[in-house]
Amino acid sequence: MATTSGDHAGHMDAIYRSQRHFYDLTRKYYLLGRDRLIAELAPPPGGTVIEIGCGTGRNLIAAARKFPEARFFGIDISREMLSTARANITRAGLSERITLAQGDATAFDAQALFGVARFDRVFQSYTLSMIPDWQGALREGASKLAAGGRLDLVDFGQQERLPTAFRQLLFAWLAQFDVAPRATLGATLEQIAAAQGLSARLTPLYRGYAWAGRLSA
């Protein structure tokens, strides 16, 4: 059965209504590669950066602190997560540099939401494994790239160089939270790159625990 945007938003709100209060405390132990992605963003001075699936705002806050000359934007389908993100961003004193809006990763009007149609950097951190139409989310993100822009992502890999028992236990645990590592991520990146005139790259991290992907304009 197809999942509509409204269904998915409600589902995410239900999951994160309580989890958002301790999300960052727990996720730092297994959402590996996020800080690596942030460190490599390197937007141009005065550039624009959007995180698709911004969650609690943790990544946007870290990126805004590291690159003080850039402007940052974030969307998330969950109102619950956005409530926490706005509070965190205000507490960090970054409300003037980070703008948030509710949006569906697979189809959103950036111009209407932010007054910015395309971005120098787009990033997606551990979101594709939770989005039913994850290929659509990747295509949408790639379509928001400015000339010379880049989309960076990190998400669960296939644990290809880790013990089979570890892989089975991790996948079973993730499934309890509707998280599904995307085995065809590399092929999908290549297909999108070919369709949109981009270049694609996929890099295994931590023996395949995570995969880092990139689409460059």
Side-chain angles (χ1 to χ4, degrees), residues 2 8-9 13 18 29 35 43 47 108 112 114 122 140-141 145 173 179 187:
H8 189 51
D13 278 344
S18 297
Y29 297 108
D35 292 333
F108 65 96
F114 304 117
V122 175
E140 185 73 358
L145 289 175
W173 181 71
V179 176

Side-chain angles (χ1 to χ4, degrees), residues 148-212:
R150 199 178 75 218
L151 181 153
D152 288 299
L153 67 92
V154 65
D155 216 311
F156 292 106
Q158 293 294 297
Q159 287 78 53
E160 56 270 24
R161 294 176 58 201
L162 291 168
T164 300
F166 175 86
R167 180 183 188 274
Q168 292 173 341
L169 285 171
L170 178 64
F171 276 34
W173 181 71
L174 292 175
Q176 296 182 46
F177 302 96
D178 294 333
V179 176
R182 307 305 187 183
T184 60
L185 178 57
T188 300
L189 286 171
E190 292 289 350
Q191 291 167 2
I192 293 171
Q196 297 194 27
L198 307 171
S199 62
R201 188 178 83 184
L202 185 71
T203 304
L205 305 176
Y206 318 115
R207 300 178 67 189
Y209 177 90
W211 285 349

